[in-house]
Amino acid sequence: MRTAIATVCLSGTLTEKIEAIAAAQFKGVEIFENDLLSFNGTPADARRLIEGLGLETITFQPFRDFEGMPEPQRSKVFARAERKFDVMQELGCDLLMVCSNVSPDSLGGIERAAADFHELGERAAKRGMRVAFEALSWGRHIHDYRDSWEVVRRANHPAVGLVLDSFHVLARGTDLSAIRSIPSDKIFLVQMADAPRLDMDYLSWSRHYRCFPGQGDLPIDDFMDVLHATGFDGLLSLEIFNDRFRAGSTRSVAIDGQRSLIVMLDELRRRKGAAPPNVEALPPKALCSGVEFVEFAVDERSVVGLEHILSGLGFQKAGLHRSKAVTRWRQGDINIVVNADKEGFAHSFNITHGTAICALALRVDDAPGTVGRAGSLLDQPFQQPVGPGEMNIPAVRGLGGSLLYFVDQKSGLDRLWDVDFEPIAADDFVGAGLKSVDHISQSMHYEEMLTWLLFYASLLDVRKTPVQAVIDPGGVVQSQAIETDDGALRLILNSSQSQRTLSSRFLNELFGSGIQHIALATDDIFSTVEKLKARGVDLLPIPENYYDDLEVRTDLSVEDVGQLRAGNILYDREGGAEYYQVYTKTLESGFFFEIVERRGYQGYGASNAPIRLASQTRLAAEATPSGL
Ligand SMILES: O=C(O)c1ccc(O)c(O)c1
Ligand SMILES: [Mg+2]
């Protein structure tokens, strides 16, 4: 299998795209015609650029509106093809990709199209070239791979082959079984693209929403299984048209592409017990059983405020780091590390971002295996010097330059609290009933959302939930959860295109993407809220109207609603399952805590989010001097 990526996937100029593609360790590239037309140099210059970086141009595309044209257009189309062969010769590319005709002038008929392709094959072969035919899902006469294959079959020419594009095949829900009987040597190119499930016309869906395999909802694995059944071992290339990719980081999107292919082929290997040659076997996805700790980077000033909040929430100072200005705060199964050291990663993070979460540690089944997998997925490993006798906890770089640590039992990494910390005796410790980290909510730039989705989903054994649009007073926030089947790990990714949402404002405050809030779980929200109040914790006030509505919307008694109202507790229900949420007021840095109680409930209270966001926005406006 030779993998490649189309230049159309990436932002930037042709030069930037080619450099990013080479840096992401691709060996092949599809040159999208517009990238060549806008390149300030000859095709031979482009060839030097491409080949100079060790890349090969696997195809030049698209050649449009070719088959089934009546005269005089037909002759013109062939003349145009000859000109493109000239360009390809200079470019060093031997495969022209032709997509099915969309012109209203084109005539239907498989036989007519096959005759056109036979002639094009003759012309290509004379120059040592080949042509490959793709059925666009919105093609005028040909929009089904079974028809494009019939055209190729009847063209009956060694220089004429088929393109299978997973988007066009899967978007239409075409039966995949016919792929099994296509001779693999007639499949000249496979283009891979996933997409979210959207109800819209094929063209708009394809041109704006495609994404890398695994980032969307299409049954990519079914497609790969039938392709595998043909014995296909040829060119497999990513072809993504996506507005976010066009605005995103050229380099990181190229790496995402490579990462998506590595995972997709490894999954194929796992399902089939074998894979096409040259496909590397990865360690399995990490089984994550929870969050071991959350680490805050603070300075001398902010440490006081944070520790005050932590005590208010019922945390106890449980350990002092043996060699650094770092403390462990603990309650139930939750560990919060407060890092005020003047050296090292947390300090640098604090200088750049202010008081913020600089690291997250996950409990996994096999920490060395997880970092091994991360390495194969082109994640960025992280190392910093450790003190004598201290534990070296493996980590990779995560969102916004923060760290993601992995702790396991197998390697003894879970002994870190005894090894690295001097315990502080707990005398009269009474917590607030907080048990575990329920979920962690991260805000990021809109263009990065698919990057981090893939980052987590490629490394960890998690599933993603459908994207929700949440209404903030300043705009719409896209929100997506990534979770383990048992809910031991729940991460929320948030992003918005508006600059005025709290999510975007947090990014500005933090100077980057990061964790905006952590939800902690209790088994008794009412008792926890009582304890927090007694400790003077300021909770986010919720408007009266919300509780009035709860009285009529649910069958909760007036007393029940009164209790919710008194505690500023939000409530949601899914069938018989119930969810309770309460929020601390937002800290200076834009960060806040949430406390939740789940009674069989699996969601995140999406219907309450606009109420909470409006309250937070109102409070933020009151706190900001008007400037008048
Ligand atoms: O959107 C298009 O026109 C287009 C062009 C070339 C392709 O390979 C494709 O899948 C779509
Ligand atoms: Mg295509």
Side-chain angles (χ1 to χ4, degrees):
M1 188 90 64
R2 287 155 67 211
T3 55
I5 185 169
T7 52
V8 76
C9 301
L10 305 177
S11 63
T13 61
L14 182 64
T15 309
E16 289 163 342
K17 293 178 190 217
I18 297 298
E19 284 170 354
I21 288 168
Q25 302 178 19
F26 283 98
K27 295 282 172 271
V29 60
E30 278 186 35
I31 299 297
F32 216 72
E33 187 171 33
N34 259 341
D35 283 313
L36 185 69
L37 302 185
S38 57
F39 176 65
N40 191 21
T42 63
D45 294 334
R47 176 180 192 162
R48 270 188 291 278
L49 166 70
I50 293 163
E51 294 180 0
L53 287 166
L55 291 167
E56 182 198 344
T57 300
I58 60 151
T59 191
F60 181 66
Q61 73 130 333
F63 190 68
R64 296 187 190 274
D65 295 339
F66 164 70
E67 83 283 5
M69 283 306 213
E71 289 295 0
Q73 289 108 307
R74 185 174 186 277
S75 303
K76 282 197 179 154
V77 155
F78 278 99
R80 183 157 59 87
E82 293 287 354
R83 290 286 295 275
K84 296 303 164 191
F85 290 145
D86 295 341
V87 170
M88 287 164 57
Q89 205 145 6
E90 221 187 310
L91 190 60
C93 166
D94 76 347
L95 183 64
L96 179 68
M97 204 211 88
V98 182
C99 53
S100 57
N101 206 324
V102 299
S103 165
D105 296 341
S106 66
L107 305 172
I110 298 280
E111 207 46 66
R112 184 194 319 269
D116 288 346
F117 269 99
H118 186 88
E119 182 171 343
L120 192 63
E122 280 292 300
R123 289 172 183 246
K126 279 202 185 111
R127 295 163 168 254
M129 291 183 181
R130 299 172 305 144
V131 297
F133 186 35
E134 170 191 73
L136 290 175
S137 40
W138 57 91
R140 186 156 183 101
H141 300 287
I142 293 175
H143 43 247
D144 183 318
Y145 79 87
R146 292 167 296 198
D147 291 338
S148 50
W149 164 235
E150 191 53 25
V151 169
V152 167
R153 199 182 66 77
R154 292 200 209 175
N156 192 24
H157 196 288
V160 178
L162 184 70
V163 181
L164 287 175
D165 179 319
S166 65
F167 176 86
H168 298 304
V169 175
L170 298 172
R172 294 189 73 100
T174 319
D175 179 28
L176 297 175
S177 57
I179 291 178
R180 293 175 186 274
S181 48
I182 303 174
S184 64
D185 61 346
K186 291 305 278 183
I187 306 173
F188 284 5
L189 173 66
V190 173
Q191 292 184 319
M192 293 306 305
D194 198 345
R197 270 270 156 242
L198 296 170
D199 194 9
M200 60 166 57
D201 67 282
Y202 298 123
L203 186 146
S204 310
W205 189 14
S206 174
R207 294 246 174 107
H208 302 284
Y209 296 97
R210 285 186 182 212
C211 54
F212 291 131
Q215 292 177 328
D217 305 321
L218 297 181
I220 292 290
D221 288 347
D222 296 349
F223 179 87
M224 288 307 293
D225 287 352
V226 290
L227 186 66
H228 181 75
T230 67
F232 177 79
D233 188 27
L235 291 169
L236 185 93
S237 178
L238 295 163
E239 192 206 35
I240 318 296
F241 309 85
N242 181 300
D243 296 358
R244 290 198 251 187
F245 291 7
R246 290 182 195 273
S249 148
T250 316
R251 286 205 162 220
S252 68
V253 173
I255 289 173
D256 291 347
Q258 185 68 274
R259 183 174 294 151
S260 75
L261 286 179
I262 293 170
V263 178
M264 184 186 81
L265 293 173
D266 185 61
E267 295 291 308
L268 174 68
R269 182 183 63 78
R270 281 171 198 283
R271 287 194 306 279
K272 297 294 165 192
N278 313 328
V279 173
E280 184 197 356
L282 306 187
K285 288 184 177 176
L287 297 174
C288 182
S289 55
V291 174
E292 181 65 39
F293 66 82
V294 174
E295 178 171 347
F296 282 86
V298 296
D299 57 25
E300 308 90 334
R301 191 188 60 82
S302 67
V303 67
V304 180
L306 180 64
E307 295 197 343
H308 179 73
I309 301 270
L310 293 176
S311 318
L313 289 172
F315 282 86
Q316 180 215 12
K317 197 185 270 197
L320 293 178
H321 196 278
R322 295 186 196 275
S323 65
K324 299 178 188 163
V326 175
T327 52
R328 172 196 188 188
W329 290 72
R330 186 178 185 187
Q331 181 171 191
D333 197 24
I334 313 163
N335 291 297
I336 293 188
V337 171
V338 178
N339 192 328
D341 211 50
K342 287 283 176 216
E343 299 280 335
F345 171 79
H347 181 58
S348 314
F349 197 89
N350 178 264
I351 290 172
T352 316
H353 302 285
T355 302
I357 293 176
C358 64
L360 201 61
L362 303 182
R363 290 184 190 127
V364 294
D365 55 332
D366 174 5
T370 307
V371 215
R373 182 173 172 97
S376 301
L377 290 171
L378 311 181
D379 294 341
Q380 286 292 322
F382 174 85
Q383 273 285 341
Q384 75 175 342
V386 289
E390 287 170 13
M391 305 210 78
N392 190 2
I393 304 173
V396 293
R397 296 242 177 214
L399 179 72
S402 66
L403 299 182
L404 191 62
Y405 285 108
F406 306 106
V407 175
D408 68 359
Q409 230 171 16
K410 203 154 94 180
S411 328
L413 289 162
D414 60 338
R415 287 171 35 242
L416 89 121
W417 304 117
D418 299 331
V419 176
D420 287 10
F421 289 79
E422 184 72 49
I424 298 175
D427 19 316
D428 54 347
F429 173 62
V430 223
L434 302 181
K435 293 273 162 57
S436 58
V437 173
D438 183 88
H439 63 268
I440 292 181
S441 179
Q442 314 192 314
S443 286
M444 61 203 69
H445 295 284
Y446 184 64
E447 293 75 22
E448 289 182 291
M449 191 130 157
L450 290 170
T451 295
W452 295 107
L453 171 69
L454 183 65
F455 169 78
Y456 291 116
S458 59
L459 189 57
L460 309 173
D461 189 6
V462 286
R463 62 177 179 218
K464 57 184 195 290
T465 65
V467 177
Q468 303 242 21
V470 175
I471 308 303
D472 174 293
V476 177
V477 178
Q478 304 291 335
S479 186
Q480 177 156 42
I482 299 172
E483 50 195 29
T484 54
D485 280 340
D486 62 1
L489 179 72
R490 299 172 184 270
L491 299 172
I492 314 280
L493 311 186
N494 288 328
S495 73
S496 105
Q497 285 178 289
S498 158
Q499 288 304 306
R500 294 172 51 233
T501 56
L502 286 178
S503 174
S504 293
R505 283 155 65 180
F506 176 75
L507 294 188
N508 293 334
E509 285 290 320
L510 187 75
F511 297 102
S513 303
I515 295 178
Q516 187 169 13
H517 96 256
I518 301 183
L520 305 172
T522 170
D523 289 341
D524 184 346
I525 192 102
F526 296 106
S527 144
T528 295
V529 165
E530 279 312 311
K531 292 190 174 111
L532 300 194
K533 278 188 180 166
R535 290 163 180 270
V537 176
D538 264 347
L539 296 177
L540 180 75
I542 301 299
E544 267 302 305
N545 295 335
Y546 172 79
Y547 296 102
D548 282 350
D549 180 55
L550 264 192
E551 281 178 9
V552 291
R553 187 156 61 83
T554 65
D555 57 7
L556 292 177
S557 68
V558 174
E559 292 72 34
D560 288 343
V561 174
Q563 214 186 353
L564 295 172
R565 179 189 275 119
N568 286 299
I569 300 167
L570 296 161
Y571 175 81
D572 194 25
R573 188 181 277 186
E574 267 173 2
E578 293 177 302
Y579 192 49
Y580 299 83
Q581 307 167 268
V582 71
Y583 291 86
T584 66
K585 282 193 181 162
T586 304
L587 313 185
E588 205 180 313
S589 55
F591 177 86
F592 54 93
F593 289 98
E594 176 183 1
I595 290 144
V596 304
E597 181 184 344
R598 292 180 184 274
R599 297 189 188 165
Y601 180 98
Q602 291 308 316
Y604 299 90
S607 62
N608 291 328
I611 313 290
R612 180 260 294 180
L613 287 163
S615 289
Q616 289 175 321
T617 305
R618 193 172 55 250
L619 252 63
E622 283 166 16
T624 309
S626 71
L628 290 174

